[in-house]
């Protein structure tokens, strides 16, 4: 049994920002299931959005965020986070790219009305932020790598989360108790066969929180990034939106531009619009490419993308990069307030695993590192100011030897294929019901004891649970909005659907409730 003041699960931007900003008298444990850098944060290319340019202000950033989020956002959360963005950027000022006068260079990305994306190393923003945060880790912070967290421990007398069970590399269960337990486990991109996400991002935190009884919101809203590098039938990494921001356009194999006449912003239209357009072309037998011929010094502006293309045998001198859309970002997650408080005392969620309402139905590019930095900082300030030791009244019994009746587990490869086909970029009642029916055969929605399973099998169970939550929510929402597109309900329906879908496990049953949205409906 191990005790800490603060237990943080995950090692992305949100986790490391929190850990490094907690006061040094706190005993902090970071549990991460792989290597510390194996996270989406490390892969982030484009940068961080903040209204700091001469022709920009928070109002414009707010308008762009609400527009991309299709007004499903929590306007108060958006306002608060965007107001803080310039200060958060200045905390990391030294690592961002600047011109010869020391002014931050501001890039452009889809659905931003002005240039407002700060970046580092051209297209290596995430890597530089994470390395900077790792360099700030102090002795009071212990990082446990290859530590797979799998079950939140709840003190039933106090209805409070008091810790988490985790399996080490040998598969041995370890018990970590803490006064504050924070999930920072990222989204669930790996639920789909084509994804930009790191291999570790499999929806674990959402499934753990669901099993513990937390409220889960907005799971139908998945962002599919329009441009993943496509080679030999597989996604080979992301081609940042900043490439289109610098002038690249999407074309067919014959060079026909595909975004003409689709949206006023053409190639910089919101991601769901671009993804659906590419998807339709591919479904109709076309190949789609990014034509980068108009970008001068491509290799200098995008060194990581260039290196990745070369590694995968793409000859950039031809000016064409083959692309395909793939799962990229989860707008929904564990329902929290701005600081990360969930519906369970003592349990917090920050970063992509959380649903604060910032992103609404579709994330505005480069707003998510920002959210992780914001929540990590905000929660650290709150814990520093309000820290209290909590006694454990009803210590959950260690029960590593419980043998569980094993249900059959879905094959991960098939699960991913089915999610793409039926709960992917284009959905319908028929496809979603097929998927629900397929998922129902496994009866894993209500697993309680996971100790007897291997890490690999628990991961399958977590992916199954997260896939079920997405399917359930997508079936409920009979309209199209942001990242959720239903071919049988192709339009937004503000009259009936200006609300959130919240799913919670109550008394072993799946309970669904609806909550009115509080943002201004300015269309
Ligand atoms: C290729 C790519 C490019 C991107 N570019 C940008 C960009 O330019 N700008 C932007 O704002 N956003 C970008 N994003 C999105 C952004 O990177 C993520 O939303 C953000 O980094 C998420 O940070 P996080 O701290 O919530 O989680 P992550 O960085 O995803 O980290 C999750 C952590 O949790 C750990 N973990 C998961 N499950 C467990 C478990 N069971 N036990 C223990 N540990 C666990 C993982 O190993 C990992 O360390 C990009 C994403 C990708 C994939």
């Amino acid at each position: 049994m191990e005790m800490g003041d603060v237990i943080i699960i995950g090692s992305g931007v949100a986790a490391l920002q929190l850990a490094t900003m907690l006061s040094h008298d706190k005993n902090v444990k970071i549990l991460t299931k792989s290597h510390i850098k194996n996270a989406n944060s490390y892969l982030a290319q484009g940068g961080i959005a903040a209204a700091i340019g001469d022709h920009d202000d928070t109002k414009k950033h707010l308008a762009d965020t609400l527009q991309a989020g299709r007004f499903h956002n929590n306007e108060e959360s958006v306002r608060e986070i965007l107001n803080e963005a310039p200060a958060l950027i200045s905390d990391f000022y030294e690592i961002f790219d600047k011109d010869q006068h020391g002014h931050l260079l501001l890039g452009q990305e889809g659905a931003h009305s002005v240039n407002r994306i700060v970046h580092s190393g051209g297209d290596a923003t995430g890597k530089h932020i994470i390395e900077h945060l790792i360099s700030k880790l102090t002795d009071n912070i212990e990082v446990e790598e290859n530590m797979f967290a799998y079950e939140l421990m709840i003190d039933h007398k106090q209805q409070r989360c008091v810790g988490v069970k985790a399996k080490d590399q040998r598969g041995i269960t370890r018990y970590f108790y803490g006064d504050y337990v924070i999930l920072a486990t990222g989204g669930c991109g790996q639920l789909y066969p084509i994804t930009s996400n790191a291999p570790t991002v499999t929806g674990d935190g959402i499934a753990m929180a669901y099993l513990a009884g937390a409220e889960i919101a907005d799971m139908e809203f998945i962002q599919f990034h329009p441009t993943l590098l496509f080679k030999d039938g597989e996604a080979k990494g992301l081609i940042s939106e900043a490439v289109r921001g610098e002038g690249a356009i999407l074309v067919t194999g014959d060079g026909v531009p595909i975004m003409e006449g689709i949206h006023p912003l053409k190639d910089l239209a919101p991601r769901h619009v671009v993804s659906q357009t590419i998807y339709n072309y591919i479904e109709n037998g076309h190949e789609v490419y990014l034509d980068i011929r108009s970008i001068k010094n491509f290799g200098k502006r995008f060194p990581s993308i260039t290196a990745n293309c070369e590694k995968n045998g793409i000859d950039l001198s031809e000016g064409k990069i083959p692309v395909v859309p793939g799962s990229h970002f989860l707008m929904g997650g564990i329902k929290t307030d701005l600081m990360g408080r969930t519906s369970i005392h003592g349990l917090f969620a920050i970063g992509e695993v959380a649903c604060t309402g910032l992103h609404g139905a579709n994330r505005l590019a480069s707003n998510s590192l920002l959210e992780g930095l914001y929540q990590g900082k905000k929660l650290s300030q709150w814990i520093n100011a309000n820290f209290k030791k909590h006694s454990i009244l009803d210590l959950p019994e260690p029960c590593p030897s419980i043998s569980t009746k094993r249900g059959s587990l879905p094959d991960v490869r098939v699960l991913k294929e089915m999610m793409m086909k039926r709960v992917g970029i284009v959905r319908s009642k028929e496809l979603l019901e097929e998927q629900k029916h397929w998922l129902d055969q496994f009866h894993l929605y209500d697993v309680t004891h996971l100790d007897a399973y291997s890490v690999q099998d628990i991961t399958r169970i977590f992916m199954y649970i997260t896939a079920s939550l997405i399917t359930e929510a997508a079936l409920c929402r009979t309209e199209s909005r942001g990242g959720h597109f239903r071919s049988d309900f192709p339009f937004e329906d503000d009259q009936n659907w200006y609300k959130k879908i919240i799913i919670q496990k109550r008394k072993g049953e799946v309970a669904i409730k609806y909550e009115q949205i509080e943002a201004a409906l300015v269309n």
Side-chain angles (χ1 to χ4, degrees):
M1 185 165 107
E2 299 172 57
M3 309 290 285
D5 296 326
V6 183
I7 309 284
I8 305 173
I9 305 162
S11 57
V13 67
L16 297 177
Q17 169 86 333
L18 167 64
T20 53
M21 296 196 87
L22 284 165
S23 57
H24 295 179
D25 58 339
K26 307 280 177 303
N27 171 336
V28 181
K29 284 194 195 302
I30 295 180
L31 315 181
T32 190
K33 75 182 192 189
S34 173
H35 182 263
I36 190 167
K37 294 178 185 169
N38 196 347
N40 277 357
S41 298
Y42 199 78
L43 303 176
Q45 295 177 343
I48 305 180
I52 53 177
D54 290 343
H55 306 290
D56 202 3
D57 57 46
T58 309
K59 269 195 195 149
K60 285 188 189 157
H61 193 177
L62 176 90
D64 293 347
T65 301
L66 295 181
Q67 173 73 29
R70 297 312 306 149
F71 309 96
H72 184 82
N73 321 60
N74 178 325
E75 191 175 330
E76 205 187 308
S77 301
V78 182
R79 209 175 280 282
E80 164 75 19
I81 295 174
L82 302 190
N83 273 332
E84 285 294 313
L88 288 161
I89 295 296
S90 70
D91 292 346
F92 290 83
Y93 176 80
E94 70 261 36
I95 70 163
F96 292 123
D97 298 338
K98 301 168 197 80
D99 64 15
Q100 65 272 37
H101 308 294
H103 299 133
L104 291 174
L105 289 170
L106 296 178
Q108 169 67 287
E109 288 195 13
H112 285 274
S113 54
V114 296
N115 285 27
R116 64 163 72 95
I117 320 293
V118 297
H119 45 83
S120 180
D123 54 4
T125 309
K127 175 173 186 273
H128 290 188
I129 295 247
I130 292 299
E131 280 169 358
H132 181 76
L133 287 168
I134 290 175
S135 75
K136 286 171 62 184
L137 291 172
T138 41
D139 288 347
N140 60 311
I141 305 166
E142 193 184 342
V143 181
E144 297 259 17
E145 293 187 314
N146 300 307
M147 189 61 69
F148 177 83
Y150 68 93
E151 194 177 310
L152 296 165
M153 294 187 286
I154 308 292
D155 175 335
H156 290 289
K157 214 167 246 164
Q158 301 182 84
Q159 284 301 309
R160 182 180 174 84
C161 180
V162 293
V164 67
K165 291 186 198 176
K167 284 188 192 254
D168 66 17
Q169 221 164 357
R170 293 162 302 158
I172 303 206
T173 294
R174 306 247 306 258
Y175 296 78
F176 293 90
Y177 290 95
D179 300 290
Y180 300 83
V181 179
I182 292 95
L183 287 165
T185 47
C188 61
Q190 285 294 339
L191 282 182
Y192 293 86
I194 295 195
T195 182
S196 62
N197 280 203
T200 53
V201 180
T202 46
D204 302 4
I206 293 157
M208 267 188 269
Y210 169 79
L211 291 175
E215 289 185 342
I216 313 291
D218 285 352
M219 289 302 288
E220 65 277 33
F221 297 118
I222 307 273
Q223 182 176 83
F224 288 86
H225 195 287
T227 54
L228 305 190
L229 173 62
F230 192 56
K231 189 77 200 300
D232 303 329
E234 284 177 25
K236 304 279 188 184
L238 186 75
I239 309 292
S240 165
E241 198 143 311
V243 172
R244 276 174 286 133
E246 297 285 327
I249 58 165
L250 289 156
V251 295
T252 62
D254 305 329
V256 179
I258 67 168
M259 293 306 297
E260 287 289 338
I262 301 285
H263 190 278
L265 291 171
K266 295 184 185 171
D267 295 85
L268 290 176
R271 285 185 176 169
H272 62 289
V273 177
V274 184
S275 289
Q276 279 158 23
T277 309
I278 300 175
Y279 179 81
N280 289 339
Y281 270 87
I282 291 174
E283 282 288 285
N284 287 318
H286 292 276
E287 286 172 352
V288 175
Y289 296 86
L290 265 174
D291 180 340
I292 58 166
R293 285 175 300 173
S294 64
I295 304 178
K296 304 255 175 328
N297 299 321
F298 187 88
K300 192 155 172 248
R301 171 65 181 88
F302 299 108
S304 309
I305 294 173
T306 301
N308 189 38
C309 285
E310 283 167 358
K311 190 174 114 195
N312 286 291
I314 308 293
D315 180 2
L316 288 181
S317 67
E318 290 179 9
K320 270 174 35 174
I321 303 176
V323 290
V324 70
S327 70
H328 185 54
F329 186 81
L330 171 68
M331 274 69 77
I334 305 163
K335 188 166 180 285
T336 70
D337 65 6
L338 276 171
M339 167 190 322
R341 281 181 288 207
T342 70
S343 56
I344 298 178
H345 292 303
L347 178 67
F348 299 77
I350 56 174
E352 193 171 331
V353 74
C355 180
T356 60
L358 169 65
H359 307 296
N362 203 7
R363 175 187 70 132
L364 182 68
S366 288
N367 264 354
S368 47
L369 289 174
L370 177 66
E371 187 181 39
L373 290 175
Y374 173 91
Q375 282 199 291
K377 184 171 181 177
K378 187 90 178 166
L379 181 56
S380 72
Q381 290 170 338
W382 187 80
I383 294 177
N384 289 340
N386 298 290
F387 184 79
K388 206 166 96 192
K389 277 301 220 193
H390 292 90
S391 49
I392 299 174
L393 301 181
D394 182 10
L395 196 70
E397 282 292 306
C399 51
S401 60
I402 270 192
S403 71
T404 315
K405 191 169 153 274
R406 294 172 65 110
S408 63
L409 301 180
D411 179 281
V412 167
R413 193 187 50 79
V414 179
L415 176 72
K416 289 180 179 206
E417 293 295 338
M418 294 300 165
M419 285 302 286
M420 193 68 195
K421 207 169 139 203
R422 299 168 175 162
V423 200
I425 296 170
V426 176
R427 304 159 175 182
S428 67
K429 181 170 188 266
E430 198 187 350
L431 290 171
L432 292 165
E433 278 182 344
E434 264 177 41
Q435 181 68 349
K436 191 170 155 53
H437 190 65
W438 183 80
L439 289 164
D440 280 349
Q441 69 183 296
F442 298 103
H443 304 296
L444 291 175
Y445 228 177
D446 191 27
V447 277
T448 38
H449 293 297
L450 292 166
D451 299 339
Y453 289 92
S454 66
V455 166
Q456 205 184 11
D457 282 351
I458 299 174
T459 305
R460 284 161 81 184
I461 293 171
F462 285 169
M463 290 174 85
Y464 168 88
I465 290 171
T466 310
S468 303
L469 292 168
I470 297 169
T471 307
E472 198 86 58
L475 197 49
C476 288
R477 184 171 290 278
T478 50
E479 66 154 358
S480 290
R481 189 178 294 268
H484 170 70
F485 182 76
R486 295 259 317 232
S487 56
D488 47 349
F489 294 97
F491 304 108
E492 288 177 3
D493 175 1
D494 291 335
Q495 194 128 29
N496 295 305
W497 276 111
Y498 203 46
K499 52 195 171 200
K500 288 172 104 66
I501 298 169
I502 296 165
I503 308 183
Q504 190 179 19
K505 185 177 149 197
R506 262 193 255 139
K507 297 186 181 126
E509 297 288 319
V510 184
I512 299 178
K513 70 173 182 187
Y514 299 91
E515 193 178 275
Q516 208 63 27
I517 304 284
E518 279 166 26
L521 187 55
V522 260
N523 247 309

